[in-house]
Amino acid sequence: MYPVQHSALRLSLRELTAEDVDGVLAIYGDPEATRHLSFEPRTREQVASLVRGAMAAAGAEPRTEYSLAVASRETGDLIGFARLAMDPHQQRAATLGFALRPDVWCQGRGVETVRAVLAIAFGQLDLHRVWAARSPANTVSEKTLLRAGFVEEGRIRQHVFVHGAWRDSVTYGIVEEEWRAAL
């Protein structure tokens, strides 16, 4: 499916463009924004490469990755990044990830972002299951995923090597019927 466009109350999801490099860098280059992510802050060159890769993946057939800009409907500014990656081992399943600029944290935009991605996943892509993972220290992400309808499923021990140490990941999942029941 290309191009992806989805509007929610305060934000919209859209395809990334070359003009989004600085907006993504404001998230992926920020130590605070990446504190709980599975990688350390990235350079502008790394972010530019990521955006180019996302743009190329958007045209792939079949499309297996949806890397999307999260934009404010009020200003049009990029305030976040969301990714839905198809699971190569399961039919109709994908992994969801998201990150927002720190200046929009704790305003309910994370829940709105996750719900918007789920609307694409279940409503447009006909997926059956979506899962996500978070750092055990990221309690805000825990609340966000639970409010969006996910169910905690378990812990993957020493799953990610970041900031010089191994870190666990707490996993969550939601299936289509749960998402539809919550509408």
Side-chain angles (χ1 to χ4, degrees), residues 26-27 37 39 42 44 60 64 67 80 101 114 124 162 172 174:
I27 303 160
L37 298 181
F39 54 86
R42 295 189 171 160
R44 189 174 199 291
T64 59
S67 295
R101 277 191 343 226
V114 172
Q124 297 177 34
V162 65
Y172 295 79
I174 185 170

Side-chain angles (χ1 to χ4, degrees), residues 48-65:
S49 177
L50 179 140
V51 170
R52 283 191 303 273
M55 291 169 56
E61 276 298 324
R63 187 169 182 180
T64 59
E65 182 178 311

Side-chain angles (χ1 to χ4, degrees), residues 96-158:
L96 179 147
F98 69 99
L100 300 175
R101 277 191 343 226
D103 65 310
V104 300
W105 287 357
C106 300
Q107 300 174 11
R109 293 177 196 260
V111 174
E112 194 171 342
T113 297
V114 172
R115 287 180 178 158
V117 174
L118 292 176
I120 293 167
F122 295 126
Q124 297 177 34
L125 298 176
D126 193 34
L127 296 184
H128 172 69
R129 173 182 160 72
V130 175
W131 75 279
R134 69 167 178 91
S135 161
N138 191 347
T139 57
V140 173
S141 186
E142 172 186 32
K143 292 173 187 171
T144 297
L145 292 167
L146 292 173
R147 283 186 188 131
F150 280 80
V151 174
E152 184 175 329
E153 295 183 329
R155 181 181 291 254
I156 305 172
R157 296 180 320 119
Q158 297 189 17

Side-chain angles (χ1 to χ4, degrees), residues 14 103 148 176:
R14 63 168 172 75
D103 65 310
E176 181 184 14

Side-chain angles (χ1 to χ4, degrees), residues 9-26:
L9 181 65
R10 296 177 296 165
L11 56 85
S12 62
L13 301 179
R14 63 168 172 75
E15 300 290 348
L16 285 169
T17 69
E19 290 76 36
D20 289 323
V21 170
D22 288 331
V24 175
L25 182 63

